Amino acid sequence: MKAILTLASVLLLPASVKPVVLRALGHRVHPKARIGASLVWRTRLHLGESARIGSLNLIACRSLVMRGNTILGWGNVLRGPFKVRSAFRARIGNRNIFTCPPRMAPGRPCSMLWLEEDARITGQHAI
């Protein structure tokens, strides 16, 4: 039920209301974070101050941690059993694809995309 409510709130609600609703659903979202109309499915969100997620993204990974002043552009696909963690002022451009195959062994740890401070991934990459 939490996954469906998160999906609906990120997709349909105005940007000013989303942080309040997402915090009520158990996500850690700063009041100054901004989220565009995107599809977020079964992803744990942790958005710092002034973190921004653009519109038309498909986010279906384990967790998305964005520290202060981090930007995820528009039209990105983050799909698979991995975690995304970005430090302060990291940027992911537009129309990137980040995928990971499903885990084969149950005890195997999941992958992680880790962007350090001021790191940049520009547009139209497949990782």
Side-chain angles (χ1 to χ4, degrees), residues 10 18 33-38 40 45 47 50-57 59 64 66 70-74:
V10 171
K18 288 178 188 177
R34 292 290 170 246
I35 305 167
S38 296
V40 178
L45 296 174
L47 305 177
S50 300
R52 292 186 299 169
I53 297 177
S55 297
L56 305 174
N57 290 302
I59 303 170
L64 177 62
M66 298 173 67
T70 303
I71 296 174
L72 175 64
W74 60 269

Side-chain angles (χ1 to χ4, degrees), residues 79-124:
R79 184 177 44 116
F82 64 95
K83 298 177 181 180
V84 178
R85 184 179 185 102
S86 56
F88 294 96
R89 296 183 306 272
R91 308 275 193 266
I92 296 177
N94 303 325
R95 298 176 302 189
N96 294 297
I97 299 173
F98 302 93
T99 59
C100 182
R103 294 186 335 175
M104 297 300 188
R108 191 174 137 213
C110 65
S111 301
M112 179 177 280
L113 171 64
W114 192 309
L115 297 172
E116 287 292 332
E117 188 171 329
D118 290 322
R120 305 283 194 267
I121 296 177
T122 58
Q124 300 179 344

